Amino acid sequence: MNYHVDAAQVESFQKNGFLVVEDFLSPNELAHWRETVMNAVNNRAGQKMPDKELKTGDSDGINEDAAYFGKVFDQLLNLWQTDEGVKKLMFDKRIGKMAADLAGVDGIRIWHDQALFKRPWANPTSWHLDTPFWSFSDRKALSIWIALDDATYENGCLYFIPGSNNETTFENKGIGKNMDGIFGVYPQFARAKSVAAPMKAGSCSFHSGLTIHGANANMTSGFRRAMTCAYMPDGNVFNGTANILPESYLKTLKVGDPLDNEAQNPLIYHRTKNSI
Ligand SMILES: O=C(O)CCC(=O)C(=O)O
Ligand SMILES: [Fe+2]
């Protein structure tokens, strides 16, 4: 287990917008994560979110072409809300501290977790940003992506555009079919060099929600499974975007209200409240 980031890793993350942490999980921990995540995913029976009837592959109103996007990955959100085992993994303060250290913030809340499984022959994940989808606007928001299978050039490992995190904005909510769509919004990166992040199972990466990133198609007959979690720095407020917030909660929110509901966005680590 490798639950610590040092000053050089923090610097690299803030400069490049991503960081790979090799051997994040020990072999035993990896076995436990796989079993826990698979159990939670199977119990969902394809239901994408806890509070909506949507199935993986259905149109979610954000992506216009369900048939295509259903074959990018199976996407199951907020497994922590429906599974005690996943909740325990996601509430691990050590991971919260890694995220807080990398972002350079005091407190970290879960925005949402997300199992992302590329099935055999899955479509690629087009270049995109994450933060513009979300209901808060913070340049320091970030995600962890944990490889449950080896993520390879062949089966759909992640790619990043280094440094894009320091230039992109909250513009561009879309993730289209065309890999180059994002460069219509950010032409300054059209000639940038991308970096691949192949990872052994049990390794992880962190990326800023404003780093341009994507993934290959799965050119193999095997699965590429990842467990991820998006993090919101503590202290953020509602920006008016619904994203995945449940209707019942949305009805109570006005633009500018604090997003501090523990049932939706739990604080998993805070520098002054947790000593680890
Ligand atoms: O797993 C993938 O293909 C994409 C992951 C991603 O976009 C993310 O974790 O933000
Ligand atoms: Fe993403």
Side-chain angles (χ1 to χ4, degrees):
M1 126 203 355
N2 188 3
Y3 287 122
H4 175 75
V5 286
D6 62 24
Q9 288 172 303
V10 172
E11 192 185 331
S12 170
F13 175 82
Q14 293 189 354
K15 176 168 177 252
N16 296 315
F18 70 97
L19 179 78
V20 174
V21 179
E22 305 280 359
D23 299 321
F24 169 65
L25 302 176
S26 68
N28 282 344
E29 288 169 329
L30 172 61
H32 176 64
W33 275 69
R34 274 184 180 150
E35 190 186 330
T36 305
V37 170
M38 288 317 293
N39 183 46
V41 165
N42 291 335
N43 286 339
R44 275 284 188 84
Q47 191 175 335
K48 202 167 162 171
M49 299 185 208
D51 59 304
K52 298 193 174 80
E53 285 306 309
L54 273 179
K55 294 281 185 186
T56 54
D58 285 355
S59 173
D60 57 9
I62 296 173
N63 296 319
E64 71 285 0
D65 187 338
Y68 180 86
F69 285 101
K71 292 189 177 184
V72 172
F73 36 50
D74 286 6
Q75 186 183 24
L76 296 110
L77 288 108
N78 278 345
L79 291 167
W80 74 267
Q81 291 179 324
T82 55
D83 187 274
E84 280 301 315
V86 171
K87 182 172 177 180
K88 234 171 154 175
L89 297 177
M90 289 298 133
F91 277 48
D92 191 325
K93 293 183 184 8
R94 296 168 302 177
I95 307 178
K97 182 174 184 332
M98 287 174 97
D101 287 349
L102 290 172
V105 300
D106 288 337
I108 282 290
R109 291 181 180 275
I110 292 180
W111 177 242
H112 58 62
D113 70 27
Q114 194 166 208
L116 292 176
F117 293 181
K118 275 196 191 291
R119 288 175 178 268
W121 321 120
N123 289 327
T125 314
S126 294
W127 291 116
H128 68 282
L129 304 175
D130 297 335
T131 314
F133 286 104
W134 298 339
S135 312
F136 62 98
S137 303
D138 188 333
R139 297 202 65 87
K140 294 186 169 178
L142 74 171
S143 293
I144 187 172
W145 191 100
I146 300 152
L148 299 181
D149 298 307
D150 291 346
T152 65
Y153 298 111
E154 290 81 17
N155 73 2
C157 70
L158 292 181
Y159 283 71
F160 301 100
I161 298 202
S164 52
N165 53 304
N166 292 315
E167 283 191 47
T168 55
T169 66
F170 302 115
E171 216 181 309
N172 186 229
K173 290 185 195 293
I175 175 167
K177 280 189 194 175
N178 291 328
M179 286 302 289
D180 66 353
I182 191 109
F183 303 112
V185 186
Y186 299 105
Q188 67 268 44
F189 293 107
R191 290 170 184 276
K193 197 164 157 33
S194 65
V195 172
M199 268 179 252
K200 288 199 309 273
S203 293
C204 78
S205 60
F206 287 86
H207 63 271
S208 158
L210 289 176
T211 302
I212 300 178
H213 62 283
N216 277 344
N218 186 351
M219 303 299 275
T220 77
S221 56
F223 273 75
R224 186 231 67 183
R225 296 172 300 175
M227 185 62 198
T228 76
C229 189
Y231 298 117
M232 170 173 70
D234 188 32
N236 268 287
V237 300
F238 183 51
N239 66 8
T241 300
N243 190 223
I244 56 131
L245 294 177
E247 270 307 310
S248 54
Y249 180 37
L250 270 175
K251 278 198 293 227
T252 70
L253 280 176
K254 298 186 306 298
V255 171
D257 283 351
L259 292 172
D260 57 0
N261 180 334
E262 287 296 311
Q264 186 65 33
N265 302 120
L267 184 69
I268 56 163
Y269 171 79
H270 197 285
R271 229 170 268 295
T272 60
K273 294 176 194 150
N274 304 116
S275 55
I276 51 162

